[in-house]
Amino acid sequence: MYKSLLLVFLINSFIFSTVSFGQRNKQSASDKEYLIQKENRTIKSIKSSFKKSWGRTFINFTKNEFSLVSGINFSRQVIKTSNYNSNFNYLLSDFNKNVAKPGFYGGIRIDGMYKQKHSYSFLFTLNKLSTGTYYKDHKDIKPIVGEFSNFKGDEQFLTLNAASHLKKIIPIFNAAKYKLSFVAGPSFDLRLSEASIDNKVSSAYHKVFINGDIGLEFDNQQFYTLFIHYQQGLTSITKSPIKTNLNRFELGFMIKASDLF
């Protein structure tokens, strides 16, 4: 009798524990599935919000094309030292050259349309500049004969340039084949190379300077584009009281990246 009751009790306990364990497993699986679905919905919501925000920001920029750019530049510095004084004296006849010297550059460019009617371009280049230096003022050191300066401008620069240009077609060719465009806009140079030891002492140079760009571009049936740009420094590349305007001409060649890769 007692053995039968004990056996029934053990069987009932086993069934109850099995059912409870199964229910817990099912609940755990259900909770896990719920959390996964909630996480997926959250991720989708974030992606959707990001796409909407991105679309609102760039909805007016279309037909973007990537191109590779390369060319040569001719640069010159015009320096006015004003009342700058230092312990250094440089004989100007050794390096005062009112000429533009050649350098080179290369980078990428993005061309597109804004609001379906305004052509634009973004240009990013790495520039190696070798400049002529022209001094607008000088000092005399008696009794030594000659013209001197307390400041010697650096003639070698490595910069990263970012430019934004608007383009306007000049209607003198058949636009279906050839396009001659006038471009204009600002550009920014970030100086990557270090200053000379003498100019490090006085921290004479700015790291960033701003330019105004204008130019002409000739598109040959979309096979390639030739261009000439002129960049005029809008801000001095040196710190006050020294004023240094850096200007340069750029001759360049551009070809679409899709035609190469």
Side-chain angles (χ1 to χ4, degrees):
M1 178 68 178
Y2 294 107
K3 290 182 179 180
S4 299
L5 292 174
L6 180 60
L7 181 60
V8 171
F9 175 76
L10 291 175
I11 292 172
N12 287 336
S13 299
F14 175 75
I15 293 173
F16 178 77
S17 62
T18 301
V19 171
S20 299
F21 181 74
Q23 289 176 342
R24 287 196 299 272
N25 282 344
K26 288 180 180 179
Q27 182 64 36
S28 176
S30 177
D31 291 344
K32 185 177 181 181
E33 181 66 23
Y34 171 77
L35 292 174
I36 291 173
Q37 291 179 358
K38 184 177 180 181
E39 182 179 2
N40 289 337
R41 287 196 298 269
T42 302
I43 293 173
K44 289 180 180 179
S45 176
I46 293 173
K47 287 182 177 179
S48 177
S49 299
F50 177 77
K51 287 180 179 179
K52 289 180 180 178
S53 175
W54 180 269
R56 285 194 298 270
T57 303
F58 293 95
I59 190 172
N60 292 320
F61 295 86
T62 58
K63 299 181 180 179
N64 292 323
E65 294 179 340
F66 287 83
S67 302
L68 301 181
V69 178
S70 183
I72 59 175
N73 50 51
F74 298 88
S75 307
R76 185 185 71 145
Q77 297 181 66
V78 178
I79 302 172
K80 186 175 182 180
T81 58
S82 299
N83 58 348
Y84 175 78
N85 288 298
S86 73
N87 294 324
F88 304 105
N89 289 294
Y90 306 95
L91 184 61
L92 287 180
S93 61
D94 293 338
F95 51 84
N96 190 17
K97 307 295 181 182
N98 190 17
V99 296
K101 294 183 179 180
F104 57 90
Y105 65 96
I108 62 172
R109 187 167 120 167
I110 305 170
D111 288 78
M113 297 289 292
Y114 177 70
K115 291 186 175 180
Q116 302 295 327
K117 59 181 180 179
H118 300 295
S119 296
Y120 70 88
S121 68
F122 294 121
L123 180 64
F124 304 93
T125 58
L126 190 64
N127 306 268
K128 179 64 172 65
L129 305 180
S130 179
T131 73
T133 52
Y134 172 64
Y135 291 78
K136 298 184 70 174
D137 51 12
H138 65 274
K139 63 181 298 185
D140 298 321
I141 302 178
K142 302 297 183 180
I144 303 175
V145 178
E147 298 177 344
F148 293 83
S149 175
N150 292 135
F151 173 75
K152 180 180 182 298
D154 292 346
E155 297 181 0
Q156 302 290 328
F157 296 90
L158 181 64
T159 72
L160 179 64
N161 180 269
S164 175
H165 296 153
L166 288 177
K167 300 189 295 181
K168 185 67 175 179
I169 294 178
I170 302 174
I172 61 175
F173 296 115
N174 180 0
K177 292 184 177 180
Y178 309 107
K179 294 179 182 178
L180 181 65
S181 301
F182 174 78
V183 302
S187 67
F188 304 85
D189 274 291
L190 171 64
R191 177 173 172 148
L192 302 178
S193 56
E194 293 187 354
S196 64
I197 295 177
D198 291 357
N199 289 326
K200 277 184 179 180
V201 173
S202 58
S203 299
Y205 281 94
H206 292 295
K207 291 292 291 184
V208 177
F209 37 97
I210 305 172
N211 315 295
D213 303 354
I214 59 173
L216 294 174
E217 301 184 351
F218 176 73
D219 182 345
N220 181 17
Q221 304 179 76
Q222 298 187 354
F223 293 141
Y224 60 84
T225 299
L226 301 175
F227 57 83
I228 178 170
H229 292 165
Y230 174 71
Q231 293 188 350
Q232 173 65 51
L234 300 181
T235 60
S236 173
I237 67 174
T238 49
K239 298 178 182 179
S240 181
I242 306 169
K243 184 177 180 181
T244 304
N245 288 325
L246 173 65
N247 52 70
R248 59 188 183 262
F249 280 98
E250 294 182 340
L251 301 177
F253 173 89
M254 180 178 73
I255 188 168
K256 292 179 182 178
S258 60
D259 292 340
L260 297 176
F261 305 104

